[in-house]
């Protein structure tokens, strides 16, 4: 079987990047490649108090966590996602049985020291605006979930320069508002193509240009020699093995 080299570049892209919407159920860890949207879960047990004076308690055998010494955004958890991932949504699961209280979550992008944070999106009707997502201080229906889209915020993970966190909390201290878990959705993307093409036979007008450039810059292919990629050449099974093994980081031990 032989495959056109241009088509193989697109296949390589699909293995390493995707566009779409976040899906639940939750992945236990972030996907490093794939064609579907991914999601990562932050459980209540992973929420740590922001300060030593922030006291908290648990409900539902530890499946919910709430502040007991203050109100507002008093919990924090790091958000570990691969560089290049674009945030698509946040889903918050919690309890709100208070007619005047709410649970709250911020998804924030900060500088390398964790300062100068920018909050993603902003759901209307939250007690402490801007807040990415909340149950609303007029809701008292008990266990619930809140969805907030983040794709339009254009938050693309850059782990070399920034730190990403989820900050959460509640506005009552009696357990009537509590966080159970937080799901952050994301999609992988191919990197922007360079202004100057790497290969003489793959101009920027070629439909496969950004995908071929992604394979080249990631070290998966160096072309066919002489500064060319040979986009219409056929890929042998030997070459396919090299492409796939490099793209997937396959191990044999």
């Amino acid at each position: 079987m032989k495959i056109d080299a241009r088509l193989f570049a697109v296949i390589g892209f699909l293995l390493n990047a995707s566009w779409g919407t976040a899906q639940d159920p939750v992945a236990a860890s972030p996907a490093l490649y794939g064609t579907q949207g991914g999601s990562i879960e932050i459980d209540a047990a992973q929420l740590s108090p922001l300060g030593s004076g922030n006291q908290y308690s648990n409900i539902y055998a530890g499946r919910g966590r709430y502040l007991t010494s203050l109100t507002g955004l008093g919990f924090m958890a790091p958000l570990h996602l691969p560089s290049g991932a674009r945030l698509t949504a946040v889903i918050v699961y919690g309890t709100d049985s208070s007619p005047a209280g709410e649970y709250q979550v911020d998804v924030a992008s900060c500088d390398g020291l964790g300062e100068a944070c920018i909050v993603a999106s902003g759901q209307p009707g939250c007690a402490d605006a801007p807040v990415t997502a909340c149950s609303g201080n007029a809701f008292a229906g008990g266990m619930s979930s809140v969805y907030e889209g983040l794709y339009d915020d254009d938050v693309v993970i850059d782990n070399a320069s920034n730190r990403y966190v989820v900050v959460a909390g509640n506005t009552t201290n009696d357990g009537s508002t509590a966080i159970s878990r937080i799901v952050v959705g994301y999609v992988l993307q191919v990197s922007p193509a360079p202004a100057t093409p790497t290969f003489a036979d793959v101009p920027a007008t070629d439909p496969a240009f950004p995908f071929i450039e992604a394979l080249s810059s990631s070290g998966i292919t160096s072309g066919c020699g002489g500064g060319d990629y040979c986009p219409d050449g056929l890929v042998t099974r030997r070459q396919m093995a090299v492409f796939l093994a490099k793209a997937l980081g396959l191990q044999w031990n």
Side-chain angles (χ1 to χ4, degrees):
M1 178 183 68
K2 293 188 176 182
I3 303 174
D4 182 282
R6 184 183 282 108
L7 174 60
F8 207 95
V10 177
I11 294 174
F13 157 72
L14 291 175
L15 287 170
N16 287 276
S18 70
W19 291 300
T21 55
Q23 302 290 326
D24 210 20
V26 180
S29 60
L32 300 180
Y33 60 87
T35 59
Q36 299 296 319
S39 55
I40 186 169
E41 176 186 14
I42 298 172
D43 188 77
Q46 296 172 269
L47 295 173
S48 300
L50 276 170
S52 57
N54 294 5
Q55 298 179 359
Y56 66 91
S57 188
N58 299 310
I59 59 174
Y60 304 132
R63 294 191 297 271
R65 181 162 288 187
Y66 66 96
L67 297 164
T68 60
S69 60
L70 53 80
T71 60
L73 298 167
F75 294 121
M76 188 274 289
L79 183 59
H80 298 299
L81 288 173
S83 290
R86 181 174 182 173
L87 301 187
T88 57
V90 59
I91 309 172
V92 186
Y93 296 86
T95 296
D96 183 352
S97 57
S98 169
E102 64 183 25
Y103 54 78
Q104 307 172 332
V105 166
D106 275 350
V107 179
S109 171
C110 310
D111 63 21
L113 296 175
E115 305 291 339
C117 298
I118 300 174
V119 176
S121 196
Q123 182 178 328
C126 298
D128 301 314
V131 172
T132 303
C134 70
S135 60
N137 56 15
F139 178 81
M143 299 183 70
S144 64
S145 64
V146 177
Y147 173 95
E148 180 66 21
L150 302 178
Y151 195 85
D152 291 340
D153 289 84
D154 196 23
V155 179
V156 178
I157 301 299
D158 177 9
N159 290 316
S161 303
N162 299 324
R163 183 186 184 194
Y164 302 88
V165 297
V166 171
V167 187
N170 49 281
T171 61
T172 62
N173 296 140
D174 57 1
S176 58
T177 55
I179 300 287
S180 177
R181 68 184 182 119
I182 303 161
V183 178
V184 178
Y186 66 95
V187 289
L188 302 179
Q189 305 180 109
V190 76
S191 301
T196 302
T198 300
F199 302 108
D201 56 353
V202 185
T205 55
D206 191 301
F209 171 65
F211 313 122
I212 292 172
E213 292 292 345
L215 290 185
S216 174
S217 63
S218 62
I220 295 173
T221 181
S222 57
C224 60
D228 290 335
Y229 177 74
C230 300
D232 296 315
L234 297 179
V235 176
T236 66
R237 292 172 66 91
R238 180 183 291 107
Q239 293 168 324
M240 179 181 68
V242 175
F243 277 149
L244 291 179
K246 285 187 175 182
L248 300 176
L250 298 181
Q251 303 292 316
W252 62 87
N253 56 6

